[in-house]
Amino acid sequence: MPDPEPGAVLIKVTLANVCGSDLHTFHGRASYGVVIPGHEMMGELVSVGEGFTDAGRRPLHVGDRVRH
């Protein structure tokens, strides 16, 4: 695996979830725009590019758990 560029990370996904919007889209009942299937996930940082921070501008480190 290549090292992440500055401001990017490499995440090992450890859990992925199917959410309600995924199901509505799958069944053709979505009344909203584009949905990214599988957008609920959790993982562990494997590699962190220089300068990467979380939404609160706190630095993250290899081994930190993250979710989206």
Side-chain angles (χ1 to χ4, degrees):
M1 286 286 158
D3 289 332
E5 297 177 9
V9 293
L10 178 62
I11 299 173
K12 176 183 177 184
V13 175
T14 56
L15 177 99
N17 191 39
V18 175
C19 85
S21 57
D22 292 338
L23 293 175
H24 291 301
T25 301
F26 178 78
H27 291 292
R29 297 188 303 250
S31 60
Y32 34 79
V34 176
V35 173
I36 300 170
H39 62 269
E40 292 186 359
M41 62 191 91
M42 180 184 284
E44 180 179 316
L45 293 180
V46 174
S47 187
V48 180
E50 183 180 338
F52 186 83
T53 60
D54 68 6
R57 300 204 180 268
R58 296 172 295 238
L60 295 172
H61 308 282
V62 171
D64 286 350
R65 278 196 247 163
V66 294
R67 65 183 175 86
H68 183 275

